[in-house]
Amino acid sequence: MVEVRNVSKSFKKGWYALKNISLSVDKGDFVFLTGPTGSGKTTLLRLIYMDIFPDEGEVAVAGFLSSKIKSYEIPLLRRRIGIIFQDFRLLEDKTVYENVAFALEVTGGSGRKMREKVMKTLTLLGLSHKRNEFPYRLSGGEQQKAAIARALVREPFILLADEPTGNIDLEGSEEIIQILKEVNTSGTAVLMATHDVYLAKKMGGGIINLEEGEMVKN
């Protein structure tokens, strides 16, 4: 599903954000990507959804190769990937329902089938009663649930979560991870970046640890 092969990435001469990274994520995997701020976690996720490209090595995602993918194919790839950010990135002028529906509308979704899919996803996340609320009226945990719903509604084969608990308290963090584990149980792979090694170990799953752009043993 996802394979990173001997990948290095630098943003300025002589300094590598990632150096010789290799990993794979298969169907049904739940993998934590741990490490302190600046260790390369976000860079690695950006390489996987092909927002940036490696200087060395190759990234393969769902049959797309970083060395061969065309610019018009990148949106096609991202339709198959769910992406969750630490800062939620919800549209402030749209309700919860509209935020989730927007993820389908941009790919041509409309009508009854779309509405049913949106409501099914909001119900799964326990947000159906908040569907008409705007993001500013939600707690941090609720905003993150809405962001997860938006990522899930297109039924991706993998969720990439970049510090999804970074702006949420401990109780809310554990709830978000539990939701992700339930999503994973249904067959969706999850790759979650976090600086909280303790939380990753507590919740179980595979752990890949990065330090200064290199993989190190836990």
Side-chain angles (χ1 to χ4, degrees), residues 115-150:
R115 292 192 295 271
E116 289 176 349
K117 185 173 286 190
V118 172
M119 288 308 301
K120 179 181 178 180
T121 306
L122 289 175
T123 300
L124 175 68
L125 274 294
L127 281 179
S128 59
H129 65 298
K130 298 282 187 176
R131 61 187 178 277
N132 294 321
E133 298 285 0
F134 288 91
Y136 74 90
R137 294 181 60 90
L138 304 178
S139 68
E142 288 170 338
Q143 289 186 62
Q144 193 58 282
K145 287 181 183 180
I148 294 172
R150 181 182 57 193

